[in-house]
Amino acid sequence: FCGGMKVSNINGVKIYHCTSGKALPQWLSKVNSLTSLKYNESYRRRIELIQEFHFPTSANTLKVSPDGEFICACGTYKPQMKVFELSQLTIKFERHMDAQGISVAFLDDDFKKLALLRDDRYIEFHAQMGLHHKLRVPKFGRELLYLRSKCDLLVACASPQIPQLNLFRGEFLSPIETALKGVNSIAENSVHGLIAAAGEDGAIECFDPRISKRVAYVRVADSLSRLNARYAKEVKEGGGISSIGFGSALTMGLGTDSGHVLLYDLRAPSPLRCYNHRYGTPIKRILFEPAPVRASTAPEERLISADAKAIKIWRGEAGHGKLMTSIEPPASLNDFVVYPGSGMIMAACEDFRMHAWYVPELGPAPKWCHYLDSLTEELEESTSTSVYDDYKFITRNQLETWGVSELIGSEALRPYMHGFFIDAKLYEKIEHIADPYAYDRYYQKKLREKVDST
């Protein structure tokens, strides 16, 4: 822990866990204890990015507004929705619901128009003043997608049909007919508007939103067999496609129930790469984040995928698609976001608090917490003492040779692997008593080596 943050280094990439300490409610529960918080070093060195960035039990989903000024998150229990204002680093408001929210769609650049998908087939529409309206969809929904070009709200649900709600006219349009057994996830390409739906039967379909007609259908396992037959078999046995996302105009990523991530070029029939999370759990979310532009390197796009166990960042074509680093949250992960244009990753987990990590190699710190850049630079310059610097490792044979085997089982020794850790000062004292002429022999040996070399 450094400066209130937990620092890890995986594949040479430093990751700063900004929410590794206790949350404010945990500290307040100790106010009446004998030790005042003002004397508590951990409390004084804590970092709290956003106030009240937590829920009573767990968080289900979170999303950043298009203008980058707000975060909307849903959690439980009791089911509720919170909106955070990043410029003020605190909560804007919270509202309670009758059922858990599982997906959020911003209908405007800020928080003033929101759509929330609940797990009981209802969609809630929120305005600045509060709940505006709610309606029921035909099937249980899984994800929302708002098409700004048409003012349509699409609902991925447990049905071959994708319901379309036109918010300008206030009525349902004819649903998009698919050949999928059910739709797990839906995404839109921000460049040309192509819509892709991920099916629970292991296939994907792409649609032209102007006519709501299918333009492509791909069986993922069959297309993967050309690249890797073993992975194709695992994907086929694993089930469906759990998540989907677009990067640039021609890049698409898929996540499967078997824990595989596939990278596609829309012009090619088979995937360019296939990654394996190796946990065998469904991929929760796939995002693309452009790498920071530097003078020495060309800009590239990085793929970020997450399952319940870990968030993994994969390098672009310049890095040959290799794993850049991975983040393991302290609890099972439900959803995550990357703040646009930065190295800040925030996740909703099966934990009462939402977690945040800062990865400098992924991008700079967001403008609302710009101090993280200077803080991490100071931490890199400062030298920290390791826990084991004041200890020496000693084996059982050494203890018996020196005649101090009675120390085994006492507080002077800490068992570790095939030996023990002992305080460095005590080690030197015992060594001097057990072998008082060790230094003289060492001196004579070095002197002989010097004479022989001359």
Side-chain angles (χ1 to χ4, degrees), residues 50-66:
I50 305 172
Q51 294 183 16
E52 300 188 46
F53 199 55
H54 54 79
F55 285 95
T57 304
S58 64
N60 298 330
T61 184
L62 75 166
K63 197 168 187 178
V64 181
S65 63

Side-chain angles (χ1 to χ4, degrees), residues 354-366:
M354 290 178 284
H355 293 270
W357 297 269
Y358 175 47
V359 187
E361 190 167 332
L362 189 62

Side-chain angles (χ1 to χ4, degrees), residues 75-134:
T76 193
Y77 179 84
K78 301 176 180 178
Q80 55 190 282
M81 176 263 289
K82 290 185 177 183
V83 172
F84 302 90
E85 188 172 0
L86 297 179
S87 61
Q88 302 299 319
L89 299 178
T90 188
I91 187 172
K92 182 75 173 177
F93 60 84
E94 64 177 317
R95 295 170 185 168
H96 290 259
M97 301 180 290
D98 296 331
Q100 295 189 42
I102 57 176
S103 184
V104 179
F106 282 90
L107 308 180
D108 204 351
D109 289 337
D110 54 15
F111 71 95
K112 296 177 182 178
K113 295 179 182 180
L114 288 170
L116 302 178
L117 176 64
R118 299 184 345 197
D119 62 355
D120 62 349
R121 289 172 53 188
Y122 272 96
I123 299 177
E124 289 188 358
F125 295 92
H126 288 257
Q128 188 174 3
M129 52 81 183
L131 177 63
H132 175 70
H133 184 67
K134 65 179 180 179

Side-chain angles (χ1 to χ4, degrees), residues 32-263:
N32 296 326
S33 61
L34 297 176
T35 305
S36 176
L37 288 180
K38 68 179 180 180
Y39 299 114
N40 192 304
E41 187 66 21
S42 298
Y43 175 77
R44 295 174 62 185
R45 291 169 62 87
R46 81 191 191 284
I47 292 178
E48 192 169 4
L49 286 181
I50 305 172
Q51 294 183 16
E52 300 188 46
F53 199 55
H54 54 79
F55 285 95
T57 304
S58 64
N60 298 330
T61 184
L62 75 166
K63 197 168 187 178
V64 181
S65 63
D67 62 2
E69 296 293 332
F70 302 92
I71 292 178
C72 180
C74 295
T76 193
Y77 179 84
K78 301 176 180 178
Q80 55 190 282
M81 176 263 289
K82 290 185 177 183
V83 172
F84 302 90
E85 188 172 0
L86 297 179
S87 61
Q88 302 299 319
L89 299 178
T90 188
I91 187 172
K92 182 75 173 177
F93 60 84
E94 64 177 317
R95 295 170 185 168
H96 290 259
M97 301 180 290
D98 296 331
Q100 295 189 42
I102 57 176
S103 184
V104 179
F106 282 90
L107 308 180
D108 204 351
D109 289 337
D110 54 15
F111 71 95
K112 296 177 182 178
K113 295 179 182 180
L114 288 170
L116 302 178
L117 176 64
R118 299 184 345 197
D119 62 355
D120 62 349
R121 289 172 53 188
Y122 272 96
I123 299 177
E124 289 188 358
F125 295 92
H126 288 257
Q128 188 174 3
M129 52 81 183
L131 177 63
H132 175 70
H133 184 67
K134 65 179 180 179
L135 56 85
R136 195 173 177 90
V137 291
K139 299 291 183 178
F140 285 97
R142 293 168 178 171
E143 190 174 9
L144 292 179
L145 174 64
Y146 179 59
L147 303 180
R148 287 175 172 265
S149 59
K150 299 175 59 182
C151 201
D152 285 351
L153 185 67
L154 306 185
V155 186
C157 56
S159 168
Q161 298 177 336
I162 302 176
Q164 294 186 95
L165 176 62
N166 186 271
L167 302 183
F168 180 77
R169 296 162 57 181
E171 62 182 11
F172 279 103
L173 305 179
S174 299
I176 299 177
E177 298 288 343
T178 72
L180 307 174
K181 184 178 179 181
V183 182
N184 289 331
S185 181
I186 188 170
E188 179 194 17
N189 191 299
S190 59
V191 179
H192 46 68
L194 184 71
I195 299 173
E200 61 183 38
D201 54 354
I204 62 168
E205 286 193 39
C206 296
F207 299 89
D208 185 341
R210 298 170 296 181
I211 56 176
S212 299
K213 294 292 182 67
R214 185 174 76 183
V215 295
Y217 178 87
V218 178
R219 299 289 302 181
V220 175
D222 296 339
S223 67
L224 180 59
S225 61
R226 307 172 187 175
L227 179 68
N228 191 313
R230 181 169 63 88
Y231 282 175
K233 182 179 179 182
E234 293 175 359
V235 169
K236 191 172 184 179
E237 294 175 351
I241 310 301
S242 57
S243 61
I244 192 168
F246 283 103
S248 61
L250 300 173
T251 309
M252 180 178 65
L254 302 178
T256 69
D257 287 338
S258 58
H260 294 81
V261 178
L262 291 80
L263 179 63

Side-chain angles (χ1 to χ4, degrees), residues 179-395:
L180 307 174
K181 184 178 179 181
V183 182
N184 289 331
S185 181
I186 188 170
E188 179 194 17
N189 191 299
S190 59
V191 179
H192 46 68
L194 184 71
I195 299 173
E200 61 183 38
D201 54 354
I204 62 168
E205 286 193 39
C206 296
F207 299 89
D208 185 341
R210 298 170 296 181
I211 56 176
S212 299
K213 294 292 182 67
R214 185 174 76 183
V215 295
Y217 178 87
V218 178
R219 299 289 302 181
V220 175
D222 296 339
S223 67
L224 180 59
S225 61
R226 307 172 187 175
L227 179 68
N228 191 313
R230 181 169 63 88
Y231 282 175
K233 182 179 179 182
E234 293 175 359
V235 169
K236 191 172 184 179
E237 294 175 351
I241 310 301
S242 57
S243 61
I244 192 168
F246 283 103
S248 61
L250 300 173
T251 309
M252 180 178 65
L254 302 178
T256 69
D257 287 338
S258 58
H260 294 81
V261 178
L262 291 80
L263 179 63
Y264 278 87
D265 187 313
L266 296 181
R267 299 167 296 184
S270 59
L272 301 176
R273 300 186 188 279
C274 181
Y275 309 107
N276 191 356
H277 270 233
R278 301 187 186 281
Y279 289 108
T281 57
I283 303 298
K284 299 282 188 176
R285 180 76 64 188
I286 288 181
L287 297 176
F288 289 86
E289 184 68 16
V293 179
R294 298 184 176 91
S296 59
T297 59
E300 61 173 349
E301 203 171 39
R302 290 166 178 172
L303 173 64
I304 307 175
S305 57
D307 58 9
K309 300 289 187 181
I311 302 172
K312 298 200 174 187
I313 306 174
W314 312 91
R315 298 187 185 275
E317 290 300 320
H320 306 289
K322 295 183 178 179
L323 179 66
M324 174 179 164
T325 189
S326 64
I327 302 171
E328 294 186 3
S332 180
L333 185 140
N334 292 325
D335 196 7
F336 83 99
V337 295
V338 180
Y339 188 82
S342 75
M344 178 65 68
I345 299 176
M346 292 170 282
C349 304
E350 290 294 328
D351 191 6
F352 83 99
R353 75 183 309 169
M354 290 178 284
H355 293 270
W357 297 269
Y358 175 47
V359 187
E361 190 167 332
L362 189 62
K367 59 182 179 181
W368 48 271
C369 57
H370 56 85
Y371 57 86
L372 285 179
D373 279 329
S374 57
L375 182 60
T376 53
E377 289 176 2
E378 291 176 4
L379 292 176
E380 290 180 359
E381 294 174 0
S382 62
T383 57
S384 58
T385 303
S386 174
V387 178
Y388 302 103
D389 286 351
D390 297 329
Y391 290 86
K392 288 275 192 179
F393 182 78
I394 188 170
T395 63

